[in-house]
Structures are given as C-alpha cells and as structure tokens.
Amino acid sequence: MTDSNITDLHPAFLSPLTQSILNKQPAAYRKLVVTGGTPTTARELLADVKPEQLLTVPVKSRHDASAMLGGLWLRHDALHECHEIVQDLIGPTGSFWHAIMHRREGDFSNAKYWYARCADHRAFRLVSALARDVIGREVTDKSLLQIAGAEYNPDALVDLVAELQDKPQDPRLEAAVQLQRMEWEALFHYCAYEAAGESGGMI
C-alpha cells in the first residue's frame, strides 16, 4: 500500500495558504505515535494562521473552520496546539479530533473514550468506505479486518497502533499508517465542507 491509494479529498475551495500547508510535507503524518515537542516546521507553517484564512469562500461555520486548523496542527505532529483548539470544540467533530490526538500521543484509553463520544459522527461513513479501499480485498489479517469491516471500527485501530508502536518491522505498519492518514483526510474533508456551508457536496 502506498500514499497514492488514498483518495485526494481536498475540495476546490481550500485557500492557497491551506494548499501550501498541506503540500509542504507530502510525507507528513506517518508517525503512529508522536513524541517530543512541537516541530519547528509546524510552528513556521501555522503559528499565525487563522481559521478564516483556510477557505476561499466565506466561513459559514467557525466551529468547523477551527476544527480544520486543529487538524492541520495535528497533521504536522503538533499535538499540543491541536489539543488547545479541539478541546474547546463542543460536539462530535471536536471529540473526533480529540480522539485522534490522544491516540497519536499514545494515550489509548483516552482515545477510546473520545471515540465513544463521536460514534455517530457523519464522517464515519466516508471513513468506512475509504478504510475498505486502504485494506483491500485480499487482506486476511484479523486486526486489519476488524478496522475496516462493515463499519469503521476506530477502537480496533487504537488497539493496532498500541500493538505496533514499538514494532517498526511489523508488516502491518504501512497499512496502519495509511489508515490513520485516510482517517485524517476524511475528517478534514468533512470539516472543510461544513465550514464552507457546502455539506451537500460531500462525497
């Protein structure tokens, strides 16, 4: 599996600034668990960015635009800055980003707590479809199949990350990386459409 297997979900109304942030490090977001402080590159890219700068259209939902900004910090492994934003976002979307952030810091029980709080999030339908594409039709490993069954199972991804975090040679590692990247893409895609008031255009 390679990054090319992940659908490019970025809508056309993302601003040039957002596109630049997304394209700055094509290999970003590959660590399953992040250690250390905020990377210098993340500060350089995002320190002065405001939610309303992320779209070329007027922001209809500042909540979702803020979630986009939190997601961008997370994409560049800045867990603290992501947490500062998403902990103030009430509702399923904030909980979804919160869950991912805690999984990536290695706080697995807390990640499951926050996933439980967003279990009915509408983005899960897109995540489910993309997860099956990432896994493929010929995979037989039970830990991967549990993630991408009939519905996306984020707790199974949490368990897999917990198992793989100290096993860089495990053959399932690349699939886990692609799954976490797919999950990020799907949720960011959702937030962008909601922020723009274009939820009807989501795939």
Side-chain angles (χ1 to χ4, degrees):
M1 298 178 193
T2 65
D3 290 348
S4 63
N5 295 125
I6 297 178
T7 305
D8 182 2
L9 297 173
H10 302 157
F13 49 76
L14 295 184
S15 70
L17 173 63
T18 306
Q19 295 285 3
S20 175
I21 293 167
L22 290 169
N23 295 331
K24 183 67 174 181
Q25 291 183 295
Y29 207 66
R30 294 194 60 84
K31 297 177 183 177
L32 293 178
V33 175
V34 177
T35 58
T38 301
T40 300
T41 302
R43 293 189 190 281
E44 292 173 348
L45 288 172
L46 292 158
D48 298 319
V49 176
K50 307 299 181 189
E52 57 270 18
Q53 296 176 280
L54 299 178
L55 304 175
T56 58
V57 297
V59 170
K60 298 293 180 64
S61 169
R62 186 170 176 84
H63 179 279
D64 290 287
S66 293
M68 289 175 66
L69 183 57
L72 289 171
W73 280 107
L74 184 63
R75 181 182 178 91
H76 292 282
D77 297 342
L79 303 189
H80 174 74
E81 286 79 1
C82 170
H83 189 256
E84 288 291 296
I85 294 171
V86 302
Q87 70 179 347
D88 293 329
L89 299 179
I90 305 301
T93 294
S95 294
F96 200 161
W97 284 118
H98 214 149
I100 298 171
M101 187 281 302
H102 281 300
R103 188 190 69 228
R104 295 198 73 219
E105 73 171 352
D107 187 353
F108 302 120
S109 61
N110 212 1
K112 288 184 177 182
Y113 167 82
W114 287 101
Y115 273 123
R117 296 188 63 164
C118 63
D120 60 348
H121 198 288
R122 290 195 295 132
F124 270 60
R125 287 175 292 180
L126 179 56
V127 177
S128 295
L130 293 175
R132 289 191 291 272
D133 288 342
V134 170
I135 293 297
R137 297 176 182 270
E138 300 179 9
V139 171
T140 58
D141 183 271
K142 290 182 179 179
S143 62
L144 293 175
L145 291 173
Q146 286 176 347
I147 297 168
E151 296 182 359
Y152 176 59
N153 183 346
D155 283 0
L157 180 56
V158 172
D159 290 338
L160 181 62
V161 170
E163 183 182 350
L164 297 183
Q165 61 176 327
D166 298 319
K167 298 179 180 178
Q169 304 305 318
D170 193 292
R172 298 169 295 171
L173 181 64
E174 184 59 25
V177 169
Q178 295 304 325
L179 284 164
Q180 80 162 10
R181 288 170 65 87
M182 165 279 305
E183 179 190 54
W184 187 95
E185 293 282 357
L187 184 53
F188 187 79
H189 171 90
Y190 170 88
C191 291
Y193 273 91
E194 290 292 314
E198 298 285 346
S199 58
M202 284 186 60
I203 61 174

Short mmCIF file of all heavy atoms in Angstrom, two decimals, residues 47-78:
data_model
loop_
_atom_site.label_atom_id
_atom_site.label_comp_id
_atom_site.label_asym_id
_atom_site.label_seq_id
_atom_site.Cartn_x
_atom_site.Cartn_y
_atom_site.Cartn_z
N ALA A 47 1.82 29.08 12.89
CA ALA A 47 1.78 29.93 14.08
C ALA A 47 0.84 31.13 13.94
O ALA A 47 0.18 31.52 14.90
CB ALA A 47 3.18 30.40 14.44
N ASP A 48 0.75 31.71 12.76
CA ASP A 48 -0.06 32.92 12.58
C ASP A 48 -1.33 32.69 11.78
O ASP A 48 -2.00 33.65 11.38
CB ASP A 48 0.80 34.00 11.89
CG ASP A 48 2.00 34.40 12.73
OD1 ASP A 48 1.84 34.52 13.96
OD2 ASP A 48 3.09 34.57 12.16
N VAL A 49 -1.67 31.45 11.52
CA VAL A 49 -2.82 31.14 10.67
C VAL A 49 -4.12 31.22 11.48
O VAL A 49 -4.20 30.75 12.62
CB VAL A 49 -2.67 29.73 10.05
CG1 VAL A 49 -3.91 29.36 9.25
CG2 VAL A 49 -1.43 29.67 9.16
N LYS A 50 -5.14 31.83 10.87
CA LYS A 50 -6.46 31.94 11.48
C LYS A 50 -7.46 31.08 10.70
O LYS A 50 -7.29 30.88 9.49
CB LYS A 50 -6.94 33.40 11.47
CG LYS A 50 -5.96 34.39 12.08
CD LYS A 50 -5.70 34.08 13.53
CE LYS A 50 -4.73 35.11 14.15
NZ LYS A 50 -4.30 34.71 15.51
N PRO A 51 -8.51 30.60 11.36
CA PRO A 51 -9.47 29.72 10.68
C PRO A 51 -10.05 30.33 9.40
O PRO A 51 -10.24 29.61 8.40
CB PRO A 51 -10.55 29.50 11.73
CG PRO A 51 -9.83 29.64 13.03
CD PRO A 51 -8.81 30.72 12.81
N GLU A 52 -10.34 31.62 9.42
CA GLU A 52 -10.97 32.24 8.25
C GLU A 52 -10.04 32.32 7.04
O GLU A 52 -10.48 32.62 5.92
CB GLU A 52 -11.49 33.63 8.60
CG GLU A 52 -10.45 34.58 9.14
CD GLU A 52 -10.31 34.53 10.65
OE1 GLU A 52 -10.77 33.54 11.28
OE2 GLU A 52 -9.75 35.49 11.19
N GLN A 53 -8.75 32.05 7.22
CA GLN A 53 -7.81 32.06 6.11
C GLN A 53 -7.76 30.74 5.36
O GLN A 53 -7.08 30.64 4.33
CB GLN A 53 -6.39 32.37 6.62
CG GLN A 53 -6.22 33.74 7.24
CD GLN A 53 -4.82 33.91 7.80
OE1 GLN A 53 -4.52 33.45 8.89
NE2 GLN A 53 -3.96 34.58 7.04
N LEU A 54 -8.48 29.75 5.82
CA LEU A 54 -8.33 28.40 5.27
C LEU A 54 -9.19 28.14 4.04
O LEU A 54 -8.98 27.15 3.34
CB LEU A 54 -8.65 27.36 6.35
CG LEU A 54 -7.75 27.41 7.59
CD1 LEU A 54 -8.19 26.37 8.61
CD2 LEU A 54 -6.29 27.22 7.21
N LEU A 55 -10.16 29.03 3.77
CA LEU A 55 -11.08 28.84 2.65
C LEU A 55 -11.06 30.04 1.72
O LEU A 55 -10.74 31.15 2.14
CB LEU A 55 -12.50 28.62 3.15
CG LEU A 55 -12.75 27.48 4.13
CD1 LEU A 55 -14.20 27.50 4.59
CD2 LEU A 55 -12.41 26.14 3.51
N THR A 56 -11.45 29.82 0.47
CA THR A 56 -11.61 30.92 -0.48
C THR A 56 -13.03 31.45 -0.49
O THR A 56 -13.33 32.42 -1.17
CB THR A 56 -11.25 30.47 -1.91
OG1 THR A 56 -12.10 29.37 -2.28
CG2 THR A 56 -9.78 30.05 -2.00
N VAL A 57 -13.91 30.83 0.26
CA VAL A 57 -15.30 31.26 0.38
C VAL A 57 -15.54 31.71 1.81
O VAL A 57 -14.77 31.36 2.71
CB VAL A 57 -16.27 30.12 0.01
CG1 VAL A 57 -16.09 29.71 -1.45
CG2 VAL A 57 -16.07 28.91 0.92
N PRO A 58 -16.59 32.49 2.06
CA PRO A 58 -16.86 32.91 3.43
C PRO A 58 -17.09 31.72 4.36
O PRO A 58 -17.74 30.74 3.99
CB PRO A 58 -18.14 33.75 3.30
CG PRO A 58 -18.14 34.21 1.88
CD PRO A 58 -17.53 33.09 1.10
N VAL A 59 -16.55 31.81 5.55
CA VAL A 59 -16.72 30.74 6.54
C VAL A 59 -18.14 30.80 7.09
O VAL A 59 -18.56 31.81 7.66
CB VAL A 59 -15.69 30.88 7.68
CG1 VAL A 59 -16.02 29.92 8.81
CG2 VAL A 59 -14.28 30.63 7.16
N LYS A 60 -18.87 29.71 6.93
CA LYS A 60 -20.23 29.63 7.44
C LYS A 60 -20.27 29.01 8.83
O LYS A 60 -21.19 29.25 9.60
CB LYS A 60 -21.10 28.80 6.49
CG LYS A 60 -21.23 29.39 5.09
CD LYS A 60 -22.00 30.69 5.12
CE LYS A 60 -22.13 31.30 3.72
NZ LYS A 60 -22.90 30.46 2.80
N SER A 61 -19.28 28.19 9.14
CA SER A 61 -19.20 27.56 10.46
C SER A 61 -17.79 27.73 11.01
O SER A 61 -16.86 27.03 10.60
CB SER A 61 -19.54 26.05 10.39
OG SER A 61 -19.22 25.42 11.62
N ARG A 62 -17.64 28.70 11.93
CA ARG A 62 -16.32 28.92 12.52
C ARG A 62 -15.88 27.71 13.34
O ARG A 62 -14.69 27.42 13.44
CB ARG A 62 -16.32 30.18 13.39
CG ARG A 62 -14.92 30.51 13.89
CD ARG A 62 -14.82 31.86 14.55
NE ARG A 62 -13.48 32.06 15.09
CZ ARG A 62 -12.44 32.50 14.40
NH1 ARG A 62 -12.60 32.79 13.12
NH2 ARG A 62 -11.26 32.63 14.98
N HIS A 63 -16.83 27.01 13.92
CA HIS A 63 -16.54 25.79 14.68
C HIS A 63 -15.76 24.80 13.80
O HIS A 63 -14.71 24.28 14.20
CB HIS A 63 -17.85 25.17 15.15
CG HIS A 63 -17.71 23.89 15.92
ND1 HIS A 63 -17.52 22.67 15.29
CD2 HIS A 63 -17.75 23.63 17.25
CE1 HIS A 63 -17.43 21.71 16.21
NE2 HIS A 63 -17.57 22.26 17.39
N ASP A 64 -16.26 24.56 12.58
CA ASP A 64 -15.61 23.60 11.70
C ASP A 64 -14.34 24.16 11.09
O ASP A 64 -13.39 23.40 10.83
CB ASP A 64 -16.59 23.16 10.61
CG ASP A 64 -17.70 22.28 11.19
OD1 ASP A 64 -17.41 21.12 11.52
OD2 ASP A 64 -18.83 22.77 11.32
N ALA A 65 -14.28 25.48 10.87
CA ALA A 65 -13.03 26.07 10.40
C ALA A 65 -11.95 25.95 11.46
O ALA A 65 -10.78 25.68 11.15
CB ALA A 65 -13.26 27.54 10.02
N SER A 66 -12.32 26.13 12.72
CA SER A 66 -11.36 25.94 13.82
C SER A 66 -10.92 24.48 13.88
O SER A 66 -9.74 24.18 14.14
CB SER A 66 -11.98 26.36 15.15
OG SER A 66 -12.23 27.75 15.18
N ALA A 67 -11.85 23.56 13.65
CA ALA A 67 -11.51 22.14 13.62
C ALA A 67 -10.51 21.85 12.51
O ALA A 67 -9.59 21.03 12.68
CB ALA A 67 -12.76 21.30 13.46
N MET A 68 -10.68 22.51 11.36
CA MET A 68 -9.70 22.36 10.27
C MET A 68 -8.31 22.79 10.73
O MET A 68 -7.32 22.10 10.46
CB MET A 68 -10.11 23.22 9.07
CG MET A 68 -11.32 22.75 8.31
SD MET A 68 -11.77 23.95 7.00
CE MET A 68 -10.34 23.82 5.90
N LEU A 69 -8.25 23.92 11.43
CA LEU A 69 -6.95 24.41 11.89
C LEU A 69 -6.33 23.43 12.89
O LEU A 69 -5.13 23.14 12.83
CB LEU A 69 -7.10 25.80 12.51
CG LEU A 69 -5.80 26.47 12.98
CD1 LEU A 69 -4.79 26.59 11.85
CD2 LEU A 69 -6.12 27.85 13.56
N GLY A 70 -7.15 22.92 13.81
CA GLY A 70 -6.65 21.91 14.73
C GLY A 70 -6.12 20.69 13.99
O GLY A 70 -5.08 20.12 14.35
N GLY A 71 -6.84 20.29 12.95
CA GLY A 71 -6.40 19.16 12.15
C GLY A 71 -5.08 19.40 11.44
O GLY A 71 -4.26 18.49 11.31
N LEU A 72 -4.87 20.63 10.97
CA LEU A 72 -3.60 20.96 10.31
C LEU A 72 -2.43 20.89 11.29
O LEU A 72 -1.35 20.40 10.94
CB LEU A 72 -3.69 22.33 9.65
CG LEU A 72 -4.59 22.41 8.42
CD1 LEU A 72 -4.78 23.86 7.98
CD2 LEU A 72 -4.02 21.57 7.27
N TRP A 73 -2.63 21.38 12.50
CA TRP A 73 -1.59 21.23 13.52
C TRP A 73 -1.30 19.75 13.75
O TRP A 73 -0.14 19.33 13.85
CB TRP A 73 -2.02 21.89 14.83
CG TRP A 73 -1.85 23.38 14.89
CD1 TRP A 73 -2.85 24.33 14.84
CD2 TRP A 73 -0.64 24.12 15.05
NE1 TRP A 73 -2.33 25.59 14.96
CE2 TRP A 73 -0.96 25.50 15.09
CE3 TRP A 73 0.71 23.75 15.17
CZ2 TRP A 73 -0.01 26.50 15.24
CZ3 TRP A 73 1.67 24.75 15.31
CH2 TRP A 73 1.31 26.10 15.35
N LEU A 74 -2.35 18.95 13.84
CA LEU A 74 -2.18 17.52 14.09
C LEU A 74 -1.44 16.85 12.94
O LEU A 74 -0.59 15.99 13.15
CB LEU A 74 -3.55 16.87 14.29
CG LEU A 74 -3.57 15.38 14.65
CD1 LEU A 74 -2.89 15.13 15.98
CD2 LEU A 74 -5.00 14.87 14.67
N ARG A 75 -1.76 17.26 11.71
CA ARG A 75 -1.10 16.68 10.53
C ARG A 75 0.41 16.85 10.61
O ARG A 75 1.17 16.01 10.15
CB ARG A 75 -1.65 17.33 9.26
CG ARG A 75 -1.05 16.77 7.97
CD ARG A 75 -1.60 17.49 6.77
NE ARG A 75 -1.02 17.03 5.53
CZ ARG A 75 -1.49 16.05 4.78
NH1 ARG A 75 -2.57 15.39 5.16
NH2 ARG A 75 -0.90 15.71 3.65
N HIS A 76 0.83 17.98 11.21
CA HIS A 76 2.26 18.26 11.30
C HIS A 76 2.82 17.92 12.69
O HIS A 76 3.82 18.50 13.12
CB HIS A 76 2.52 19.71 10.91
CG HIS A 76 2.28 19.97 9.45
ND1 HIS A 76 3.17 19.60 8.48
CD2 HIS A 76 1.22 20.51 8.80
CE1 HIS A 76 2.69 19.92 7.29
NE2 HIS A 76 1.50 20.47 7.46
N ASP A 77 2.15 16.99 13.36
CA ASP A 77 2.65 16.39 14.61
C ASP A 77 2.74 17.36 15.78
O ASP A 77 3.50 17.14 16.72
CB ASP A 77 4.00 15.71 14.40
CG ASP A 77 3.93 14.55 13.41
OD1 ASP A 77 2.81 14.05 13.16
OD2 ASP A 77 4.99 14.14 12.89
N ALA A 78 1.95 18.42 15.74
CA ALA A 78 1.92 19.40 16.83
C ALA A 78 0.72 19.07 17.72
O ALA A 78 -0.36 19.68 17.60
CB ALA A 78 1.84 20.82 16.29
#
